[in-house]
């Protein structure tokens, strides 16, 4: 780590995040990953940045900011992104989405002519619970339809969450949200009673392609058209212009007739888009 140790302990103004440093950090995160942190998020930012300061043994916010914006501070970028993003997720989170997928979307895709592979994208997949939930639902569906297959692209900005998703190992209490019949089929239990974890079976792990992708990039390096995009509980942190741009990019990456699922606290109603509303937080591209 390249941070030059300082003798000076933080005190006085240095012990708090100044308005100026808060502004610099919030502009920095907004420019890099689209997350908008208004003045009401200052305490939140202080708490999260403090974690990095403790780790690096940097005594004051002022010094941490100087470090982040210095040439050596480039290495700090992924760590700061990690602490400033919210990674909360769950298996079968917002379960009505998976019911709609299973009952309405998948039968429609199975009946189409042409491609026999259903392509799903979990954009902002966090630690993997969302793409592995999708994999369970799709695996169950294709098992009943001869000749049908699926693939899941799972992307996130944070390398830390992607590494966790790659391992596919979760505490048993987290996996309790998976219905028992699916748990028995798709989760392997550890033999160590001291460490009650489960691991996603290889059959599902190999269906999920994990990649780092920034949703605010101008273009996504994705060549195949998607049939379904899940982008849940991330747009809520973006401002309106960023949301609109993102939703328009999703529209271009969907096949005609493809679906977009967003989080329950999110909406497209104030955005300029060509999507058709199907059900709460579920939208369709015409075709
Ligand atoms: C709250 S989690 C949502 C996880 C999952 N979609 C769900 O609903 O359970 C939000 C995720 O968005 C990711 N994220 C934030 N900004 C991003 C960006 N610009 N590009 C890609 N991912 C981003 C974060 O790293 C985090 O893992």
């Amino acid at each position: 780590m390249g941070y030059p140790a300082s003798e000076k302990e933080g005190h006085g103004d240095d012990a708090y995040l100044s308005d100026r440093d808060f502004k610099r950090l919030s502009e920095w995160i907004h420019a890099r990953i689209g997350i908008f942190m208004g003045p009401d998020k200052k305490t939140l930012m202080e708490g999260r940045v403090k974690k990095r300061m403790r780790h690096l043994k940097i005594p004051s916010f002022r010094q941490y900011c100087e470090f982040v914006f210095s040439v050596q501070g480039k290495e700090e970028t992924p760590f700061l992104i990690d602490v400033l993003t919210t990674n909360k997720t769950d298996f079968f989170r917002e379960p009505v989405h998976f019911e709609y997928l299973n009952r309405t979307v998948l039968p429609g895709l199975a009946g189409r002519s042409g491609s026999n592979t259903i392509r799903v994208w979990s954009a902002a997949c966090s630690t993997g619970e969302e793409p592995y939930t999708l994999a369970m639902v799709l695996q169950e569906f294709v098992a009943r339809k001869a000749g049908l297959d699926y693939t899941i692209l799972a992307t996130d900005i944070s390398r830390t969450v992607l590494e966790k998703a790659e391992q596919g190992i979760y505490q048993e209490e987290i996996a309790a949200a998976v219905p028992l019949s699916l748990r028995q089929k798709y989760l392997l239990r550890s033999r160590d009673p001291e460490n009650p974890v489960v691991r996603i079976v290889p059959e599902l792990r190999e269906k999920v392609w994990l990649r780092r992708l920034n949703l605010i990039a101008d273009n996504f390096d994705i060549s195949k058209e998607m049939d379904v995009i899940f982008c849940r509980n991330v747009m809520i942190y973006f401002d309106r212009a960023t949301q609109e741009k993102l939703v328009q990019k999703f529209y271009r990456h969907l096949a005609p007739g493809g679906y977009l699922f967003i989080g329950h606290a999110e909406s497209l109603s104030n955005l300029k888009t060509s999507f058709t509303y199907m059900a709460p937080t579920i939208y369709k591209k015409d075709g």
Side-chain angles (χ1 to χ4, degrees), residues 229-257:
I229 299 176
F230 270 56
C231 182
R232 307 186 308 161
N233 306 303
V234 63
M235 276 201 295
I236 197 165
Y237 302 109
F238 296 163
D239 59 31
R240 194 170 160 272
T242 310
Q243 291 178 356
E244 199 163 273
K245 219 173 136 198
L246 176 60
V247 166
Q248 288 167 0
K249 281 182 284 184
F250 283 149
Y251 196 86
R252 290 199 292 278
H253 281 276
L254 273 172

Side-chain angles (χ1 to χ4, degrees), residues 33 35 85-90 93 123-126 130 156-158 161 213-216 232-234 237-238:
I33 66 166
I35 290 186
T85 48
T86 300
N87 306 120
K88 192 204 158 347
T89 185
D90 268 316
R93 183 180 193 183
C125 65
S126 190
E130 181 178 278
D156 201 282
I157 190 73
S158 160
V161 296
L213 180 143
N214 189 346
L215 291 170
I216 70 160
R232 307 186 308 161
N233 306 303
V234 63
Y237 302 109
F238 296 163

Side-chain angles (χ1 to χ4, degrees), residues 45-287:
M45 185 185 283
E46 264 180 359
R48 291 181 170 193
V49 166
K50 248 190 193 149
K51 284 191 200 161
R52 288 303 300 160
M53 288 164 50
R54 268 198 296 270
H55 182 81
L56 297 170
K57 300 192 174 43
I58 295 181
S60 76
F61 285 104
R62 170 69 42 82
Q63 284 166 291
Y64 180 76
C65 288
E66 276 165 18
F67 171 54
V68 166
F69 296 112
S70 69
V71 178
Q72 312 98 291
K74 275 221 161 75
E75 292 167 30
E76 178 63 6
T77 302
F79 301 104
L80 184 54
I81 288 178
D82 272 1
V83 291
L84 292 182
T85 48
T86 300
N87 306 120
K88 192 204 158 347
T89 185
D90 268 316
F91 286 104
F92 286 89
R93 183 180 193 183
E94 301 175 6
V96 288
H97 282 161
F98 300 100
E99 277 160 37
Y100 190 91
L101 183 70
N102 196 33
R103 291 218 189 114
T104 308
V105 179
L106 297 180
L109 291 171
R112 69 185 166 174
S113 56
S115 174
N116 61 353
T117 301
I118 298 172
R119 291 180 203 287
V120 181
W121 177 12
S122 165
C125 65
S126 190
T127 39
E129 287 87 333
E130 181 178 278
Y132 290 129
T133 301
L134 287 164
M136 289 181 212
V137 172
L138 277 129
Q139 186 71 32
E140 289 289 292
F141 187 81
V142 301
R144 301 192 298 268
K145 306 265 173 198
L148 198 60
D149 201 358
Y150 72 96
T151 175
I152 295 171
L153 171 68
T155 64
D156 201 282
I157 190 73
S158 160
R159 288 193 203 285
T160 312
V161 296
L162 288 171
E163 277 163 20
K164 175 111 187 14
E166 186 82 55
Q167 289 179 345
I169 298 174
Y170 302 93
Q171 292 299 316
E172 260 191 20
E173 65 200 49
I174 290 178
V178 177
L180 185 63
S181 61
L182 300 180
R183 240 184 288 161
Q184 286 166 341
K185 270 194 201 168
Y186 300 122
L187 303 180
L188 302 168
R189 293 180 75 182
S190 68
R191 292 200 193 94
D192 179 1
E194 301 289 302
N195 185 24
V197 294
V198 295
R199 187 163 201 201
I200 308 290
V201 294
E203 184 190 10
L204 292 195
R205 274 190 280 128
E206 66 198 24
K207 288 292 196 182
V208 175
W209 297 90
L210 290 152
R211 258 180 55 186
R212 186 169 179 273
L213 180 143
N214 189 346
L215 291 170
I216 70 160
D218 285 337
N219 293 297
F220 303 140
D221 182 18
I222 297 173
S223 54
K224 294 264 192 318
E225 283 184 331
M226 295 291 153
D227 297 307
V228 176
I229 299 176
F230 270 56
C231 182
R232 307 186 308 161
N233 306 303
V234 63
M235 276 201 295
I236 197 165
Y237 302 109
F238 296 163
D239 59 31
R240 194 170 160 272
T242 310
Q243 291 178 356
E244 199 163 273
K245 219 173 136 198
L246 176 60
V247 166
Q248 288 167 0
K249 281 182 284 184
F250 283 149
Y251 196 86
R252 290 199 292 278
H253 281 276
L254 273 172
Y259 286 80
L260 172 66
F261 291 73
I262 62 174
H264 279 158
E266 298 163 333
S267 166
L268 301 193
S269 62
N270 287 324
L271 308 180
K272 257 188 252 140
T273 87
S274 308
F275 278 106
T276 302
Y277 172 90
M278 303 302 290
T281 63
I282 303 174
Y283 300 84
K284 190 175 181 185
K285 174 171 174 169
D286 292 339

